[in-house]
């Protein structure tokens, strides 16, 4: 009996190792880890350079940790009140632009998503055409000048009220929502305005967060409109414009040279110096920190929002 049992056990098939999923996951994790290193290393490197002495940073070789720690680069960036004022102006501009852009884009996207709206295709084509044809800088400047928006705060948010790309994303997402929600609301006596804000909008949190992040990043990093339209008005200067001017000034000083003897004396005395290299790194850190602080709060919605249109009923 024992011999028969041993023979039966030997005849039982052994489970073979599935190498394909193991190889796939190994390659996948390796590529993702490498991608994370590629993305994170430049940020950490710029932070290390920003926290390093300027004269020492010129020697190069700084990787992830400063050799001679100093905060002089950040003190140089925030040495004047113009940077602080420009920071709050950028925050004010970004908040106003995001709020108004989301409200107007969402209302228009809801209208264009309704099949009973006769002009939805015509209006959509008009907005899509704006993505392919740019009138140019001079006509744009003349238009803003004729509207009286040069040297005013309105130039920051009025031209950015609606973006064609964001409008299409929102419209596509709203069209994917089941019609049963709208029909139920109408049976309860709700009008279009109430359906838009109390029924559809709570279901659109992922796409709203995605568009809000796009608009916020674009508005925060914008400086060219300040340079073209509001360069002569200091109180309307935004952070990116002031940082650009500071970087240009630091680069000019670096190219003109401070004198090798003066630099050598400062280095011998142990006085921390700033250079265009370290100022540029400090500016990069200052400009990126606000967006990095906002992103974690929108991450879960952003991940859902980037999958828009991936599944259709």
């Amino acid at each position: 009996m024992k011999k028969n049992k041993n023979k039966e056990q030997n005849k039982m098939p052994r489970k073979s190792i599935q190498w394909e999923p193991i190889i796939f996951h190994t390659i996948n994790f390796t590529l993702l880890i490498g991608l994370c290193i590629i993305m994170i290393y430049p940020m950490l490197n710029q932070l290390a350079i920003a926290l390093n002495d300027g004269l020492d940073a010129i020697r190069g070789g700084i990787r992830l940790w400063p050799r001679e720690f100093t905060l002089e680069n950040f003190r140089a960036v925030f040495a004047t009140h113009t940077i602080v004022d420009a920071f709050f102006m950028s925050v004010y501009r970004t908040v106003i632009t995001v709020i108004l852009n989301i409200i107007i884009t969402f209302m228009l996207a809801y209208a264009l998503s309704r099949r009973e709206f006769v002009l939805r295709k015509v209006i959509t084509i008009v907005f899509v055409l704006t993505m392919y044809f740019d009138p140019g800088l001079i006509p744009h400047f003349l238009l803003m000048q004729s509207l009286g928006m040069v040297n005013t705060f309105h130039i920051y948010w009025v031209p950015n009220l609606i973006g064609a790309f964001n409008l299409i994303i929102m419209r596509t997402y709203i069209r994917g929502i089941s019609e049963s929600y709208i029909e139920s609301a109408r049976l309860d006596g709700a009008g279009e305005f109430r359906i838009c804000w109390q029924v559809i909008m709570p279901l659109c949190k992922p796409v709203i967060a995605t568009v809000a992040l796009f608009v916020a990043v674009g508005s925060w990093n914008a400086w060219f409109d300040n340079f073209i339209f509001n360069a002569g008005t200091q109180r309307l200067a935004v952070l990116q414009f002031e940082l650009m001017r500071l970087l240009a000034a630091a680069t000019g000083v670096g190219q003109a040279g401070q004198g090798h003897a003066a630099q050598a004396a400062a280095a011998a005395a142990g006085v921390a110096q700033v250079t265009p290299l370290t100022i540029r790194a400090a500016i990069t850190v200052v400009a990126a920190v606000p967006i990095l602080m906002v992103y974690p709060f929108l991450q879960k919605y952003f991940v859902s929002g980037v999958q828009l249109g991936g599944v259709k009923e």
Side-chain angles (χ1 to χ4, degrees):
M1 293 294 291
K2 292 183 178 180
K3 291 181 179 181
N4 292 333
K5 288 182 180 180
N6 292 332
K7 290 180 179 180
E8 292 178 357
Q9 291 177 356
N10 293 331
K11 291 179 180 180
M12 291 178 64
R14 295 181 180 179
K15 293 183 179 180
S16 59
I17 300 175
Q18 299 294 329
W19 290 104
E20 184 176 349
I22 295 176
I23 295 174
F24 171 77
H25 289 300
T26 302
I27 296 176
N28 192 24
F29 281 121
T30 303
L31 292 176
L32 290 177
I33 292 173
L35 182 62
C36 290
I37 294 174
I38 293 174
M39 298 296 291
I40 294 175
Y41 174 77
M43 300 174 62
L44 297 179
N45 177 254
Q46 289 298 301
L47 180 61
I49 294 175
L51 294 173
N52 198 85
D53 177 72
L55 296 179
D56 180 73
I58 296 176
R59 295 163 46 200
I62 299 176
R63 298 292 182 262
L64 299 176
W65 194 259
R67 280 194 301 261
E68 296 186 14
F69 180 83
T70 181
L71 295 176
E72 288 300 322
N73 300 301
F74 291 99
R75 290 194 184 100
V77 171
F78 293 101
T80 61
H81 293 289
T82 56
I83 295 295
V84 179
D85 295 338
F87 175 83
F88 287 107
M89 178 57 68
S90 291
V91 172
Y92 182 53
R93 166 192 177 158
T94 302
V95 171
I96 294 295
T97 303
V98 169
I99 293 175
L100 295 178
N101 183 284
I102 291 297
I103 292 174
I104 296 178
T105 304
F106 177 76
M107 294 178 65
L108 183 58
Y110 174 75
L112 296 178
S113 68
R114 307 312 309 143
R115 301 183 188 278
E116 58 269 21
F117 183 41
V118 180
L119 298 177
R120 68 182 187 280
K121 292 185 179 179
V122 177
I123 296 177
T124 302
I125 292 174
V126 171
F127 275 98
V128 171
L129 288 177
T130 62
M131 300 173 61
Y132 296 97
F133 300 99
D134 188 358
L137 179 60
I138 295 177
H140 181 60
F141 179 84
L142 294 176
L143 175 62
M144 296 298 107
Q145 188 179 41
S146 63
L147 295 175
M149 288 193 293
V150 177
N151 291 325
T152 65
F153 178 77
H154 305 301
I155 195 65
Y156 293 147
W157 63 272
V158 172
N160 300 317
L161 282 178
I162 297 178
F165 179 73
N166 297 334
L167 176 64
I168 293 174
I169 290 179
M170 274 198 180
R171 187 206 62 172
T172 304
Y173 188 90
I174 295 174
R175 290 180 64 178
I177 297 175
S178 176
E179 286 288 329
S180 59
Y181 293 102
I182 299 176
E183 293 174 359
S184 300
R186 285 176 178 168
L187 290 175
D188 292 336
E192 292 296 334
F193 191 82
R194 187 172 182 181
I195 292 173
C196 176
W197 292 105
Q198 295 186 5
V199 178
I200 301 300
M201 190 173 187
L203 299 174
C204 294
K205 288 182 180 179
V207 68
I208 290 175
T210 303
V211 172
L213 188 60
F214 289 159
V215 176
V217 172
S219 181
W220 179 263
N221 291 329
W223 65 273
F224 193 68
D225 50 1
N226 188 176
F227 176 71
I228 295 297
F229 300 105
N230 291 341
T233 308
Q234 181 60 42
R235 63 182 180 82
L236 295 175
V238 296
L239 178 62
Q240 302 297 338
F241 179 69
E242 286 297 322
L243 294 180
M244 183 272 297
R245 292 174 56 183
L246 179 61
L247 178 60
T251 303
V253 171
Q255 291 176 351
Q258 298 175 355
H260 295 289
Q263 291 184 359
V271 179
Q273 294 289 306
V274 297
T275 60
L277 177 65
T278 54
I279 286 292
R280 182 170 64 248
I283 289 173
T284 303
V285 174
V286 171
V289 164
I291 296 298
L292 294 177
M293 294 176 62
V294 172
Y295 179 76
F297 298 99
L298 300 177
Q299 181 181 6
K300 62 177 182 179
Y301 297 112
F302 181 76
V303 172
S304 301
V306 294
Q307 301 173 357
L308 302 179
V311 179
K312 295 183 179 179
E313 294 182 357

